[in-house]
Amino acid sequence: FARLAVFRGGCTLEVAEAVCDSNLDTLASLLDKSLVRRRTDANGDERFWMLETIREFAREHLAASGEEDALRRLQTDLLIELADRAGMRATVGVPGKWDVDLVAPEIDNVRAVLDWAAEHDPERGLALAASLEGFWLVREPSEGASRLEPLLARTPDAERELRAHALRALGGALQLSGETERAAPCYQQSLELFTASGDEVQTANLRYRVAGNMVDRGETAAAWPLLEESLLTFRQLSLPRGEAQVL
């Protein structure tokens, strides 16, 4: 009962088993006692959830148990796996569908984890926020920016590839929020990190992003060489989606 309080947006049986070491018999018992409710979400999955007053009571027990940090880390890892299954790492030219609707039922849990991570494990929180780049771009660019920016500020020594992805995600979120000037240095720093790593696809992607931002800021002539470089790389790597977007 206490462990289930980590889920702000409810959970499926599979996730309750993975994070809370729960099982169907335990959940059935909690249902019988009206401590847990059950509903079917838009994807057709059964979700178990708590009324907020009951969840607050469960959270008091969770806090007393000392287990929350370990549960949150498990929850974060599962949410990152979900984001990857949904194709949320928004890399231009890489095949795959962005299944935003797969992530949407878990967004309240994402928010709960990011609230926890900001204080207790910002690098893990940054990994989650960056993995959801496509979701932020499509549904919540302003929230994405407000989540990524403080996490980046708290993790200056995070692994280079993670920072590169997170800066790209922040740049995209700011760009779609109409903040093109603030997006520019994020894209530029991300490009520098990906170039240093030798990742050709990501470097081509960021050249395209930097150039697109420059065009939006009226610097079309200066953007042209970057667009040509990006286009050439996508053609050499036989990535027609990237080629199409640059064109």
Side-chain angles (χ1 to χ4, degrees):
F1 172 67
R3 290 171 181 169
L4 288 171
V6 297
F7 300 111
R8 186 185 295 175
C11 64
T12 63
L13 172 61
E14 179 184 19
V15 172
E17 290 173 338
V19 175
C20 302
D21 196 25
S22 185
N23 56 58
L24 188 57
D25 289 340
T26 303
L27 288 169
S29 175
L30 293 172
L31 282 166
D32 289 342
K33 296 176 176 65
S34 297
L35 293 172
V36 170
R37 305 292 180 94
R38 179 168 51 190
R39 66 170 183 261
T40 302
D41 68 17
N43 292 332
D45 295 326
E46 279 200 339
R47 295 182 74 83
F48 298 90
W49 60 283
M50 293 177 177
L51 293 172
E52 193 56 31
T53 51
I54 292 175
R55 181 171 170 268
E56 286 301 317
F57 177 59
R59 285 192 67 191
E60 292 175 9
H61 287 269
L62 178 62
S65 74
E67 292 185 313
E68 183 173 4
D69 286 354
L71 295 175
R72 290 294 185 195
R73 291 186 174 97
L74 282 172
Q75 189 181 19
T76 306
D77 292 344
L78 286 177
L79 289 169
I80 291 172
E81 289 176 15
L82 176 68
D84 287 340
R85 288 203 309 276
M88 291 290 96
R89 296 183 193 273
T91 301
V92 173
V94 176
K97 175 186 176 184
W98 292 10
D99 193 350
V100 174
D101 290 337
L102 186 62
V103 173
E106 300 297 336
I107 192 59
D108 284 335
N109 287 321
V110 167
R111 289 166 176 148
V113 168
L114 292 177
D115 288 345
W116 165 83
E119 297 298 328
H120 300 279
D121 196 341
E123 188 164 340
R124 194 177 293 258
L126 184 65
L128 174 58
S131 75
L132 289 163
E133 179 179 3
F135 183 87
W136 304 130
L137 296 184
V138 172
R139 292 280 178 91
E140 301 285 353
S142 294
E143 180 178 2
S146 71
R147 293 290 188 175
L148 285 156
E149 197 162 23
L151 288 168
L152 276 161
R154 293 185 181 201
T155 54
D157 298 321
E159 189 268 331
R160 181 171 63 185
E161 185 177 356
L162 172 56
R163 282 193 65 82
H165 278 280
L167 283 162
R168 185 189 72 190
L170 176 57
L174 289 170
Q175 183 96 1
L176 286 175
S177 299
E179 299 191 61
T180 54
E181 294 291 340
R182 292 182 63 210
C186 300
Y187 280 151
Q188 186 59 47
Q189 291 172 51
S190 182
L191 173 59
E192 291 168 3
L193 289 168
F194 279 127
T195 300
S197 74
D199 188 324
E200 289 185 283
V201 174
Q202 295 288 8
T203 298
N205 182 13
L206 264 299
R207 284 183 181 134
Y208 161 75
R209 296 275 193 109
V210 168
N213 175 269
M214 292 171 72
V215 170
D216 284 349
R217 291 186 291 113
E219 300 176 10
T220 303
W224 202 259
L226 283 172
L227 288 168
E228 289 185 325
E229 287 183 67
S230 181
L231 181 62
L232 178 62
T233 302
F234 282 129
R235 283 174 170 167
Q236 289 174 337
L237 297 175
S238 299
L239 293 172
R241 288 179 59 179
E243 180 182 354
Q245 192 151 0
V246 175
L247 288 169

